[in-house]
Amino acid sequence: MRLKTTLLKEPKHKELVSCVGWTTADELYSCSDDHQVLKWNLLVNETVQVVKLPEDTYPTDLHCFPKTATGKKQVQAEIFVLTGSDGKFHLVSKTGRVEKSVEAHRGALLAGRWNYEGTALVTVGEDGQVKIWSKSGMLRSTLAQHGTPVYSVAWSPDSDKILYTSGKQLIIKPLQPSAKALQWKAHDGIILKVDWSLVSDLILSGAEDCKYKVWDSYGSLLYSSQPHDYPLTSVSWAANGELFAVGSFNTLRLCDKTGWSYALEKPNTGSILNIAWSADGTQVAGACGNGHVIFAHVIEQRWEWKKFKISLLKRRSMQVRNVTNDAVDMLEFRDRVIKASLNHGHLIVATSLQCYVYSTKNWNTPLIFDLKEGTVSLILQAERHFLLVDGGGIYIFSYEGRLISSPKFPGMRTDILNAQMVSLSNDSLAIRDKADEKVIFMFDTASGKLLGDGKPFAHKIEILETALNQSGPAQERKMAFLDKNHDLYITAVQRLGKEQKVFKIGTMVHTMAWNDATNILCGLHDNSFIVWYYPSTVYVDKDLLSKTIFEKDASEFGKTPQIVNFVGSQVTIRRTDGSLVYTNTSPYPAILHEYISASGWDDAVRLCRFVKIDKVQYINFIKSLPSRESRMAHMLLFGGNVQDSEAALLQANLIYQAIQLNIDLFYWDRALDLAVKHKTHVDTVFAFRQKYLNDFGRKETNKKFLQYAEGVEVNWENIQAKIEMEIAKERENANSTVRSSVSSLHK
């Protein structure tokens, strides 16, 4: 993923541009020290002046009234607030008429922000005051007073707290007068910009110490960047909370919500003083110190599913690559792509006006239908249907394009829903409530109505993430969820009048995912990767659950990795540095699930016997070994004790056997070291190494083997004879030991 930036040859503004703001996905307003407010129409590439400010007014911030306010189209949605260096803020209509001007602060008014409901406005200034205003511009309260300027401010997602800067400190101040403020030192330099994500509830800050940082809403540091060359003058979250942008001198950076960087651009802009994302999250605008307004589109997003890799090459075109035969298809769209999802054999693409449904079997004839709103913020897929979320509601469609249902619940806000809060299966839909984060609403996808008695599922503490399993009938549908303590629970979706049973199956789990086709659950906890091959065991016998768990070390994935998906037997994991890594689970449990689902009990029993056959064969091999020392060494190896196994062979002077053990384990360096040290079977090691490289069509690159290659002649007949002699020698020694033991018994 990267940004494709656009700058005009000549700037439209004559002075520094201080702020920008989007009114629609294709319309932007910019303010400058040249006292102009310009409107940019990106569809026709037209720029017009809408306001000429007084000569003594220098704009400092601009924020458009939120369109999602109360879910209704209001006249207020057509205005924006403009703050100035004269301490005033102005309510300005889109046509350029100043509806109201209010003297708000002594000295410059540095920032003004509407809350997400559009019911209140917060302003901060050089005088160190934080003030709350009604939407009509009437003062409600002075929330805080400090001795230093407050440079930036942001609302919490629920609009009941204010985040603002004070020197090197960040302060979260609740609107309730009696509530205690949260304050912490966030940077080593003055903090210039902050933003608080509506969806992810994460805080972003940039400062004169040249770093940007990501925090949770409790002030805990989640990510700190390396120092940049210049102070960070702007930060901004995308509407979906998945991305953010950071601006500095001649620098624009695109980042993931966890902090790592997707792309770094070095445009000739001067300092980027303000960044604004379009509502659909596809483009960024920046206010530049040299009079330019920079536009940047997010491109080269990628989606993967089984053998298909899809890339967004341009705003209106995608490339589909089949990795098995390298076949390439190009998909062209009339409008720019806003959101896409690839899963369950279908690609869903939402543009600004239409939805395209492709089958992976046929990329030439998509099913197309029009969208009511062009701001699709979330797409989820199940085997039989998919879900779209936009500013108007939640919609479940079949892959034939038929609207199945449109679930609703009291107080529903679609602008804050993300993939952690919503989960879709063939028959059920689960949505965590933002107003009460302990509650999950469960819907029947066919009717859009609440399941059971209509009451939502309620947990004892806040829920972070929810996920429905993807296979099996509706009666066996299970929901897994993580709570604030990072405990992992599982519960049945359909209660059938009974009291809902909830079972804890894991602790300190920070990410989890169901398999796309079977009822297998995986997760990461501490430094372990865990797979629950049959989590529903808890409904039969809790004590059996531990027998169904596979666990392995996950330190290679780094600190706090995230599971991206679990398809087939492959789990895709995103490390904290942004790189994707893959790990595999055993394919046999999934095959066993399929046999049981089809009532193939004989096949299931045969599979269980087959899975253990390699261990049985290895035990038979151990029994066939001629000497007691060899058998003991291989029993240690069977238990996973490689070093002890090798030591036992060396102690018994079975040098060849120790070398062969390392060859069998592909420990080539160790095998060569033993051969050189004991001056035996060097050619044997080279012979097996050459065979290994030839089998995989590779050339030798190991420096140690290249060093000893001269003077080593590989002759398989001689090597085979030497190996047979070693085995015969071991057998003779073993027989000799037995004869000695028998003789001593007779005496």
Side-chain angles (χ1 to χ4, degrees):
M1 193 183 300
R2 68 177 183 90
L3 292 171
K4 183 182 180 182
T5 58
T6 306
L7 275 175
L8 296 177
K9 289 183 180 179
E10 295 295 328
K12 294 288 185 180
H13 286 285
K14 300 180 182 67
E15 300 285 344
L16 167 153
V17 181
S18 56
C19 46
V20 290
W22 297 87
T23 52
T24 69
D26 297 298
E27 187 178 86
L28 180 93
Y29 283 70
S30 63
C31 303
S32 167
D33 282 1
D34 62 7
H35 312 290
Q36 291 187 94
V37 178
L38 299 183
K39 179 171 73 173
W40 304 66
N41 188 322
L42 303 188
L43 291 176
V44 294
N45 292 322
E46 183 181 76
T47 308
V48 296
Q49 177 183 303
V50 292
V51 182
K52 179 67 175 175
L53 299 171
E55 290 298 316
D56 60 344
T57 301
Y58 295 88
T60 55
D61 197 13
L62 178 154
H63 193 216
C64 295
F65 192 88
K67 281 197 165 184
T68 54
T70 67
K72 299 174 184 176
K73 291 187 178 179
Q74 303 180 14
V75 178
Q76 289 278 2
E78 299 294 311
I79 69 169
F80 57 87
V81 62
L82 182 66
T83 65
S85 59
D86 56 359
K88 295 179 182 178
F89 70 81
H90 312 275
L91 301 180
V92 186
S93 72
K94 283 176 64 176
T95 58
R97 191 160 65 96
V98 179
E99 304 286 345
K100 190 170 187 176
S101 296
V102 178
E103 291 191 15
H105 291 262
R106 296 187 307 277
L109 200 168
L110 298 175
R113 299 277 108 179
W114 296 107
N115 69 355
Y116 294 107
E117 290 80 19
T119 55
L121 173 72
V122 61
T123 60
V124 295
E126 276 186 332
D127 56 6
Q129 292 188 337
V130 181
K131 294 184 176 182
I132 308 295
W133 309 80
S134 71
K135 65 181 178 183
S136 60
M138 302 295 291
L139 181 64
R140 286 182 180 171
S141 65
T142 300
L143 192 66
Q145 169 73 62
H146 294 274
T148 56
V150 179
Y151 287 102
S152 189
V153 67
W155 289 89
S156 66
D158 51 15
S159 296
D160 64 357
K161 292 185 283 289
I162 299 292
L163 165 72
Y164 61 93
T165 70
S166 179
K168 302 174 185 179
Q169 308 276 325
L170 282 179
I171 301 169
I172 297 177
K173 177 78 173 172
L175 297 185
Q176 295 86 354
S178 58
K180 188 178 178 182
L182 174 65
Q183 180 173 341
W184 72 97
K185 183 184 176 185
H187 287 266
D188 294 324
I190 292 173
I191 302 168
L192 301 176
K193 274 291 194 292
V194 293
D195 199 11
W196 198 335
S197 173
L198 171 67
V199 177
S200 66
D201 200 22
L202 298 178
I203 291 168
L204 184 60
S205 61
E208 287 188 344
D209 62 2
C210 304
K211 293 180 180 179
Y212 66 84
K213 297 185 179 183
V214 182
W215 313 83
D216 67 15
S217 57
Y218 303 98
S220 298
L221 180 64
L222 302 179
Y223 183 87
S224 176
S225 74
Q226 294 297 312
H228 290 61
D229 295 331
Y230 300 96
L232 296 176
T233 47
S234 52
V235 297
S236 181
W237 284 104
N240 61 10
E242 294 297 317
L243 302 171
F244 65 84
V246 177
S248 182
F249 180 78
N250 287 354
T251 300
L252 181 62
R253 188 182 286 274
L254 176 68
C255 303
D256 182 77
K257 67 179 179 182
T258 54
W260 56 272
S261 177
Y262 274 111
L264 175 65
E265 301 294 330
K266 287 286 188 178
N268 183 24
T269 56
S271 292
I272 298 178
L273 301 171
N274 185 254
I275 290 175
W277 283 86
S278 61
D280 57 19
T282 61
Q283 49 195 337
V284 174
C288 308
N290 62 1
H292 275 290
V293 173
I294 187 171
F295 294 94
H297 294 90
V298 180
I299 61 170
E300 293 188 11
Q301 291 164 278
R302 291 181 172 86
W303 297 266
E304 294 182 11
W305 183 76
K306 295 189 175 178
K307 62 183 180 181
F308 294 103
K309 286 190 174 183
I310 297 180
S311 302
L312 180 68
L313 299 183
K314 298 177 182 177
R315 287 187 289 165
R316 296 182 178 88
S317 63
M318 284 179 159
Q319 182 194 74
V320 180
R321 183 179 294 277
N322 185 329
V323 297
T324 56
N325 57 17
D326 231 21
V328 173
D329 290 279
M330 294 300 299
L331 311 180
E332 301 291 340
F333 304 95
R334 190 184 69 185
D335 309 294
R336 71 176 176 279
V337 174
I338 291 175
K339 208 80 177 172
S341 176
L342 176 64
N343 213 337
H344 295 289
H346 291 85
L347 169 68
I348 313 298
V349 180
T351 69
S352 53
L353 296 174
Q354 295 176 311
C355 181
Y356 294 72
V357 182
Y358 292 88
S359 168
T360 55
K361 297 175 183 176
N362 179 10
W363 297 106
N364 298 318
T365 53
L367 186 140
I368 306 171
F369 60 89
D370 293 334
L371 295 170
K372 292 182 180 178
E373 292 207 17
T375 54
V376 172
S377 57
L378 181 65
I379 303 175
L380 293 179
Q381 291 178 254
E383 184 185 2
R384 297 176 191 163
H385 42 240
F386 65 96
L387 173 143
L388 294 181
V389 177
D390 64 19
I394 300 171
Y395 310 98
I396 298 174
F397 290 92
S398 70
Y399 287 112
E400 292 76 40
R402 180 175 59 86
L403 178 64
I404 298 172
S405 64
S406 181
K408 293 181 177 66
F409 61 89
M412 181 177 78
R413 283 184 58 185
T414 57
D415 56 325
I416 57 174
L417 297 178
N418 62 16
Q420 285 73 46
M421 298 165 62
V422 185
S423 184
L424 178 71
S425 71
N426 283 337
D427 43 68
S428 308
L429 171 67
I431 303 175
R432 193 205 71 187
D433 188 15
K434 182 67 178 177
D436 183 355
E437 295 182 353
K438 302 174 185 176
V439 167
I440 296 176
F441 290 94
M442 298 189 195
F443 298 91
D444 174 31
T445 54
S447 65
K449 295 180 180 178
L450 287 165
L451 286 170
D453 55 9
K455 293 180 181 178
F457 167 79
H459 190 50
K460 52 183 181 289
I461 63 172
E462 290 86 351
I463 294 168
L464 300 178
E465 185 177 352
T466 179
L468 295 167
N469 65 343
Q470 296 298 303
S471 67
Q475 300 91 315
E476 296 177 13
R477 184 71 54 228
K478 300 292 186 295
M479 178 179 70
F481 63 90
L482 286 172
D483 67 14
K484 192 176 172 182
N485 292 338
H486 290 279
D487 291 330
L488 177 61
Y489 292 85
I490 186 171
T491 186
V493 170
Q494 297 199 3
R495 288 169 287 180
L496 302 174
K498 300 175 184 177
E499 183 182 350
Q500 191 141 11
K501 291 183 178 179
V502 181
F503 296 96
K504 184 197 290 190
I505 61 171
T507 58
M508 297 309 296
V509 178
H510 59 266
T511 178
M512 54 95 177
W514 286 100
N515 185 264
D516 68 325
T518 55
N519 293 327
I520 300 175
L521 183 68
C522 72
L524 288 163
H525 103 112
D526 288 342
N527 288 321
S528 296
F529 171 71
I530 306 177
V531 183
W532 291 266
Y533 284 126
Y534 189 54
S536 297
T537 303
V538 292
Y539 286 89
V540 181
D541 187 344
K542 290 184 198 176
D543 297 333
L544 287 176
L545 183 66
S546 60
K547 305 288 186 184
T548 70
I549 293 176
F550 167 78
E551 186 170 353
K552 73 174 182 180
D553 180 65
S555 55
E556 63 181 296
F557 304 137
K559 186 181 178 184
T560 61
Q562 294 293 313
I563 295 174
V564 178
N565 57 40
F566 183 9
V567 178
S569 60
Q570 180 176 277
V571 182
T572 306
I573 296 170
R574 175 86 67 182
R575 295 174 57 173
T576 47
D577 62 1
S579 60
L580 289 174
V581 291
Y582 303 90
T583 189
N584 287 299
T585 63
S586 170
Y588 299 121
I591 298 170
L592 187 61
H593 274 283
E594 291 174 10
Y595 283 148
I596 292 170
S597 298
S599 299
W601 297 104
D602 291 341
D603 291 331
V605 171
R606 271 195 295 274
L607 176 66
C608 293
R609 288 174 179 158
F610 170 77
V611 168
K612 292 187 177 181
I613 196 109
D614 55 340
K615 294 182 180 179
V616 172
Q617 286 176 338
Y618 190 60
I619 291 169
N620 286 334
F621 163 72
I622 293 172
K623 288 165 69 176
S624 70
L625 292 172
S627 68
R628 180 176 173 275
E629 290 81 4
S630 276
R631 290 193 293 273
M632 181 62 70
H634 279 275
M635 283 303 294
L636 288 168
L637 183 62
F638 186 65
N641 301 309
V642 179
Q643 291 181 340
D644 292 345
S645 176
E646 182 194 286
L649 291 170
L650 292 174
Q651 189 175 355
N653 203 33
L654 297 171
I655 308 301
Y656 159 72
Q657 285 79 354
I659 293 170
Q660 189 63 49
L661 179 139
N662 282 284
I663 290 172
D664 292 341
L665 294 172
F666 304 107
Y667 292 176
W668 299 108
D669 286 356
R670 180 59 181 162
L672 184 58
D673 288 343
L674 287 174
V676 171
K677 180 181 178 181
H678 295 278
K679 299 178 181 178
T680 182
H681 285 285
V682 176
D683 56 341
T684 304
V685 178
F686 270 87
F688 280 100
R689 173 73 174 176
Q690 281 182 9
K691 184 177 183 301
Y692 166 77
L693 292 172
N694 291 338
D695 288 345
F696 288 93
R698 294 181 179 178
K699 292 184 178 180
E700 184 61 78
T701 57
N702 189 308
K703 292 180 181 178
K704 193 174 288 186
F705 277 86
L706 292 171
Q707 177 187 343
Y708 287 105
E710 294 181 15
V712 177
E713 184 182 344
V714 174
N715 185 314
W716 272 105
E717 289 184 7
N718 293 344
I719 290 167
Q720 196 64 42
K722 283 167 65 177
I723 291 172
E724 289 173 0
M725 283 178 62
E726 292 284 0
I727 294 170
K729 181 181 173 183
E730 182 186 2
R731 185 173 287 112
E732 178 58 34
N733 289 340
N735 292 337
S736 176
T737 304
V738 171
R739 284 195 296 271
S740 298
S741 299
V742 172
S743 176
S744 62
L745 282 172
H746 283 300
K747 288 178 181 178

